[in-house]
Amino acid sequence: YGGWTEGLAAESAANSSVTYRFHAPMAGFVKADDAGLIPEGPPLFGFTKRYVKPGCMDDLASSFQTVSDLWRAKVPGILGASVSRDPDHADRVHDLRLFANHDAYLKHTDKSDDALTAAMGVWFANYDTSRPFIGEIYAPDPNDERLHKSSVTSSPAPPIGLTSFRLGAPEMLGPIPTGEQRKA
């Protein structure tokens, strides 16, 4: 999802024990720091694969950038959002979302914001909702049903196939980031 160099890509290709996929974003953003304005965690991460209607890839990228610009301006807790083409499927994208906390996740689909709701409708209309959204979500409470259904539309809602992981559970590696490191 960015941040690699040609040297890193070459070294990664030489390691036959792991398959590396370097994604070039079509649209989106990742915040560097925001000068201490990022809210406290625990964070929530989502990685999905979504199918796009034939002939709608450029419209998807353009409309996703419009939504991303609104997210970046209005919701400090959205740390990043990116969409990239799947190298193996011409009609599929990878969608990355990084949230500082669950509140930021809820605000990313704020139905009281008319401009955001309208922009999300234009963006979402490019997806093929007859095919499932699949991927992984890492959250403090992965059983929250709001994480497992479309946050944009309820009819027709795409099938959602997310594998969920609880942050901080024994099967997760490392401590949960709390934001304390930004205060030091």
Side-chain angles (χ1 to χ4, degrees), residues 138-158:
Y138 299 82
D141 181 8
N143 297 319
D144 182 335
E145 65 183 57
R146 294 173 290 186
L147 302 175
H148 299 277
K149 62 182 182 177
S150 172
S151 53
V152 177
T153 184
S154 57
S155 179

Side-chain angles (χ1 to χ4, degrees), residues 8-37:
L8 176 61
E11 288 177 32
S12 301
N15 181 353
S16 62
S17 65
V18 177
T19 300
Y20 294 90
R21 298 285 181 137
F22 295 98
H23 292 251
M26 296 168 50
F29 69 96
V30 175
K31 291 181 179 175
D33 183 345
D34 260 14
L37 300 177

Side-chain angles (χ1 to χ4, degrees), residues 2-181:
W4 63 87
T5 63
E6 287 185 30
L8 176 61
E11 288 177 32
S12 301
N15 181 353
S16 62
S17 65
V18 177
T19 300
Y20 294 90
R21 298 285 181 137
F22 295 98
H23 292 251
M26 296 168 50
F29 69 96
V30 175
K31 291 181 179 175
D33 183 345
D34 260 14
L37 300 177
I38 296 172
E40 295 293 321
L44 187 147
F45 310 104
F47 305 90
T48 62
K49 296 177 188 176
R50 303 172 184 220
Y51 285 92
V52 178
K53 292 176 184 173
C56 292
M57 194 64 75
D58 290 341
D59 290 339
L60 175 108
S62 175
S63 58
F64 186 82
Q65 189 61 56
T66 298
V67 170
S68 293
D69 292 344
L70 290 168
W71 283 338
R72 185 175 185 134
K74 295 181 175 195
V75 187
I78 300 178
L79 308 179
S82 178
V83 66
S84 61
R85 245 180 245 271
D86 187 300
D88 299 324
H89 300 276
D91 59 346
R92 190 166 74 181
V93 294
H94 292 245
D95 184 311
L96 165 69
R97 307 281 176 81
L98 307 171
F99 301 96
N101 54 38
H102 197 261
D103 185 56
Y105 172 81
L106 296 176
K107 288 180 180 174
H108 96 288
T109 57
D110 181 2
K111 302 280 193 258
S112 70
D113 184 326
D114 293 338
L116 178 60
T117 300
M120 290 185 78
V122 171
W123 157 55
F124 200 81
N126 294 293
Y127 286 119
D128 177 352
T129 58
S130 70
R131 301 176 83 175
F133 292 177
I134 59 172
E136 297 80 34
I137 191 157
Y138 299 82
D141 181 8
N143 297 319
D144 182 335
E145 65 183 57
R146 294 173 290 186
L147 302 175
H148 299 277
K149 62 182 182 177
S150 172
S151 53
V152 177
T153 184
S154 57
S155 179
I160 306 292
L162 295 175
T163 302
S164 302
F165 298 93
R166 182 179 304 279
L167 285 171
E171 62 272 11
M172 297 295 299
L173 299 175
I176 297 175
T178 63
E180 291 297 317
Q181 51 275 53

